[in-house]
Amino acid sequence: MYWVSIVTEAAIFAILALGLDMVWGWAGDFDLAFYGYLALGSYMTMVLTIGKPIPPVSYILGYRLPYPVALLLAVAAVVVFAAAIGAVALRNLREIYFAITTLTAVSAMYLFVENYTPLFDGYNGVYGLVNPGQTLLNLTYNGYRIVFLGIVLVVLALVYLLVSRLSRSPFGRMLRSVREDERAAAAYGRGVFFAKYRAYLFGAALAGLAGGLFAVFVSAFNPSAWTPQELLIIYAAILVGGRGNPLGVMAGVFAVYIGFIELTRFLPAPASRPEFGPALRQVLIGLLIILMLRFRPEGLISERLGRDRGPR
Amino acid sequence: MTTFLISVGIGLATAAILALSALAFTLEYAVSRVANFAHGELLTIGAYAAYSGQRLFHQNVAAAALLAAAAGLLAGLAENAGLIEQFRGRSATTVFIATLGASLVLQNLLEMIYGAANVSYSFTQGGLHHVGPFLWTTSNIEVILSALAVAGLIYLLLQHTRFGKAIRAVSQDRTLAQVSGIPARRVVMGTWALAGAISGFAGFILADTIGTFGPQLGFSFLLLTITATVAGGIGRPYATLGGALLVGLVIEIAGTYSNSAYQLVWAFGLLVLLMLFRPNGLFVRRSATAVRA
């Protein structure tokens, strides 16, 4: 069951990373708000499925929808939210200005969710989404977890096929031309903002989807689960795998994620200092980011650029 | 009215700390063209150095402050040599991501050394004083006066010394400064040492003002620092002081009249507005379009 759990989590993060790679890898926008979209997807899935809150707990909506419906609605909510942020941030802001603005936005959102209890019960968060459909499918707890892993892997495969098709499509090539030289792309008649905006919304939708799956995986969600720094391991994974290459990104997530969990399991963890292990893990993630950027920024499996086949 | 004046008073103390932090951030940007996300950790390192030193120096505030500045200086030198110079010539975003990684590394190294739990100094805050319309503790007054003194010294240094002139030259154009015979590498190093020392000291007075602190001290102050820097105009040391004053007052006054948990939300809202409408600062006459790629 240990491996089932690890592979499930890695697969969910692979979906997130494929979405993030469209935004950063293809369109070149270093977005720090992205983990907020996974969080929103998780929260929305929760409040749409777990029913009315019992005081003193409080959160919005509180419906009891079937899980797949809730998942779709959650993704829609994330896309609407990202549409608002993207419309503001992508219009004029680029590079570090874009990064700082998105970090600011997600920090404000984080503070708000943490302190404004009527929304998602503040610091305590929402919980109670335990294996939706388990009785319907007549499964044991462990059996359900294995089936869920299967579902996540199927979703990941579908997402991968879609993303790698898009990556080779005219849309994927346009985004890369915008990334490399915005002015040249604009001069050749590409709508720079709208191209970036579409990539941003598509990426956010994948983040929302990952969030909805993550809600089932963890069955409870609160602010300590999504500090904005969590996003850095996803960036590290993309850097390792190969920015802009869907296969590399997916491989990078599995390698980095499982690699780090396995590695840090065997590190010394003094009982008096429970924070030692996780802190060391973060140090290694930071070093990994710096070293990859310094010595191999294209990653282990580098992006395959579309070839100019000449006039036909 | 009294509440208002008290929050203005606290705002001035916050602004003083913010001014130092933003001044250092903007100096780093001026010579290296990098938005240093590992800047907050310079403050944290200073704060922890003073914490380690306070038993050694028998509660001597001045000694603790010097120790904080010295630790910040070394950390600034290390960040420049070990990180920023390694990434010279790379795109702004690449360097930015690298500093983000460095921030993660430093923050968690401090957590491994000092633990995740908050610590606090045992310096006394002193009594309350009415100064004009404001109500300050002794340490508030010390913070404001020392920040003014440091800012004054930096002004003299930048305007009236050869080193200051060299900093200004390098910040205009490093290559051009180099060919005019200015040892650009050494000037950049010196600037980072200076920025580090200012940050270390700022970290100490920040930790002392807040009361307790942990490994996230500097990082959680970073977005405020950036807000102040952008408000003034990034890379422009004097205007930064005005930006710090504005941000300090906005968050303390807004925090007094709304739920104080949302204090930072106000600052973040301000930053987003600045980024959108005045990315080059409030004090430039017309909004130049240089930053728009």
Side-chain angles (χ1 to χ4, degrees):
Chain A
M1 283 324 284
Y2 172 73
W3 280 101
V4 172
S5 159
I6 285 191
V7 175
T8 309
E9 195 172 5
I12 292 172
F13 281 135
I15 297 173
L16 180 75
L18 285 171
L20 182 57
D21 188 48
M22 290 183 78
V23 177
W24 182 49
W26 306 6
D29 299 310
F30 188 70
D31 181 15
L32 288 168
F34 209 71
Y35 213 77
Y37 300 146
L38 175 134
L40 187 65
S42 260
Y43 274 128
M44 288 309 290
T45 310
M46 291 274 188
V47 297
L48 286 169
T49 50
I50 57 179
K52 285 267 170 257
I54 303 153
V57 175
S58 62
Y59 45 81
I60 53 164
L61 302 174
Y63 298 142
R64 264 191 198 285
L65 297 176
Y67 175 71
V69 179
L71 184 64
L72 286 179
L73 287 176
V75 170
V78 170
V79 171
V80 169
F81 187 70
I85 293 201
V88 175
L90 279 171
R91 195 159 292 273
N92 292 322
L93 300 168
R94 293 292 179 263
E95 303 198 338
I96 57 172
Y97 286 84
F98 178 78
I100 292 173
T101 306
T102 48
L103 177 63
T104 312
V106 77
S107 302
M109 174 184 161
Y110 187 85
L111 274 174
F112 190 72
V113 170
E114 194 180 8
N115 289 300
Y116 186 69
T117 46
L119 188 61
F120 299 124
D121 204 29
Y123 196 78
N124 295 320
V126 289
Y127 51 89
L129 180 64
V130 182
N131 294 358
Q134 187 182 341
T135 39
L136 195 75
L137 299 166
N138 197 16
L139 288 166
T140 61
Y141 184 87
N142 282 350
Y144 183 89
R145 288 282 150 171
I146 293 170
V147 171
F148 182 63
L149 169 62
I151 294 172
V152 171
L153 286 177
V154 169
V155 174
L156 173 62
L158 291 175
V159 168
Y160 171 72
L161 285 178
L162 177 66
V163 167
S164 56
R165 246 196 109 76
L166 269 179
S167 175
R168 288 188 305 267
S169 74
F171 177 63
R173 287 203 298 273
M174 171 173 71
L175 284 176
R176 289 175 173 90
S177 78
V178 167
R179 177 191 73 194
E180 293 301 324
D181 191 336
E182 216 167 276
R183 283 180 190 190
Y188 277 93
R190 303 292 179 264
V192 170
F193 167 72
F194 199 59
K196 279 175 177 286
Y197 196 46
R198 273 191 289 167
Y200 196 73
L201 295 187
F202 200 93
L206 289 183
L209 178 65
L213 295 170
F214 198 59
V216 177
F217 178 70
V218 290
S219 81
F221 205 77
N222 62 44
S224 64
W226 59 287
T227 56
Q229 290 185 357
E230 299 282 336
L231 188 61
L232 287 180
I233 189 172
I234 308 291
Y235 274 115
I238 294 180
L239 268 170
V240 168
R243 177 184 171 198
N245 180 329
L247 186 66
V249 167
M250 210 163 63
V253 172
F254 278 93
V256 169
Y257 191 77
I258 295 178
F260 266 106
I261 294 228
E262 282 300 296
L263 193 74
T264 44
R265 259 174 82 201
F266 301 108
L267 288 171
S272 59
R273 300 282 300 282
E275 71 274 14
F276 195 87
L280 182 57
R281 185 162 162 249
Q282 302 284 320
V283 169
L284 293 174
I285 293 169
L287 283 178
L288 186 66
I289 292 177
I290 296 172
L291 293 175
M292 285 306 295
L293 278 175
R294 175 71 182 80
F295 296 107
R296 205 178 161 83
E298 73 276 20
L300 297 180
I301 310 173
S302 54
E303 180 176 33
R304 282 167 47 203
L305 294 173
R307 275 202 316 277
D308 182 3
R309 296 195 198 86
R312 259 171 282 180
Chain B
M1 199 58 198
T2 334
T3 329
F4 179 74
L5 283 174
I6 288 175
S7 62
V8 169
I10 300 170
L12 288 177
T14 309
I17 305 170
L18 202 49
L20 291 188
S21 176
L23 188 59
F25 184 84
T26 220
L27 281 174
E28 291 156 18
Y29 181 86
V31 293
S32 297
R33 296 282 153 213
V34 49
N36 179 19
F37 247 59
H39 168 77
E41 278 59 44
L42 296 176
L43 276 79
T44 320
I45 288 172
Y48 271 113
Y51 173 75
S52 293
Q54 66 172 352
R55 243 169 299 152
L56 252 68
F57 296 110
H58 305 289
Q59 316 299 334
N60 187 331
V61 179
L66 279 179
L67 194 65
L73 186 150
L74 290 178
L77 281 176
E79 274 190 12
N80 178 47
L83 189 72
I84 308 298
E85 287 289 297
Q86 299 296 322
F87 280 91
R88 255 197 88 191
R90 305 286 290 277
S91 84
T93 314
T94 304
V95 191
F96 171 81
I97 301 172
T99 62
L100 200 59
S103 151
L104 194 68
V105 170
L106 291 172
Q107 222 177 92
N108 285 285
L109 277 178
L110 287 169
E111 187 169 324
M112 286 163 71
I113 299 168
Y114 290 98
N118 277 2
V119 297
S120 58
Y121 299 135
S122 45
F123 305 118
T124 160
Q125 290 287 312
L128 285 168
H129 306 279
H130 283 279
V131 183
F134 306 126
L135 188 64
W136 282 321
T137 63
T138 311
S139 88
N140 280 156
I141 297 173
E142 284 167 6
V143 162
I144 294 175
L145 289 180
S146 63
L148 283 176
V150 171
L153 284 177
I154 303 294
Y155 174 79
L156 291 178
L157 181 86
L158 285 178
Q159 291 298 338
H160 298 289
T161 65
R162 280 182 71 86
F163 177 55
K165 213 171 181 177
I167 292 180
R168 285 184 286 140
V170 169
S171 74
Q172 291 279 321
D173 189 327
R174 182 166 174 168
T175 320
L176 203 57
Q178 181 85 54
V179 298
S180 328
I182 296 170
R185 227 172 67 86
R186 287 228 311 274
V187 172
V188 171
M189 249 172 67
T191 310
W192 276 83
L194 179 67
I198 300 172
S199 307
F201 177 67
F204 169 64
I205 54 178
L206 174 66
D208 191 42
T209 306
I210 296 178
T212 69
F213 66 99
Q216 272 89 37
L217 173 80
F219 191 75
S220 44
F221 201 61
L222 181 68
L223 277 179
L224 278 184
T225 299
I226 293 178
T227 312
T229 312
V230 174
I234 191 166
R236 296 152 46 93
Y238 310 130
T240 300
L241 301 180
L245 192 63
L246 175 81
V247 175
L249 290 178
V250 164
I251 63 165
E252 293 301 342
I253 295 171
T256 308
Y257 289 99
S258 65
N259 185 340
S260 64
Y262 301 123
Q263 201 180 27
L264 285 175
V265 177
W266 291 104
F268 295 163
L270 182 65
L271 178 54
V272 170
L273 289 179
L274 283 169
M275 282 289 185
L276 290 174
F277 299 110
R278 300 304 292 255
N280 293 319
L282 292 170
F283 310 123
V284 283
R285 201 152 293 150
R286 65 203 151 81
S287 182
T289 46
V291 294
R292 296 184 178 177

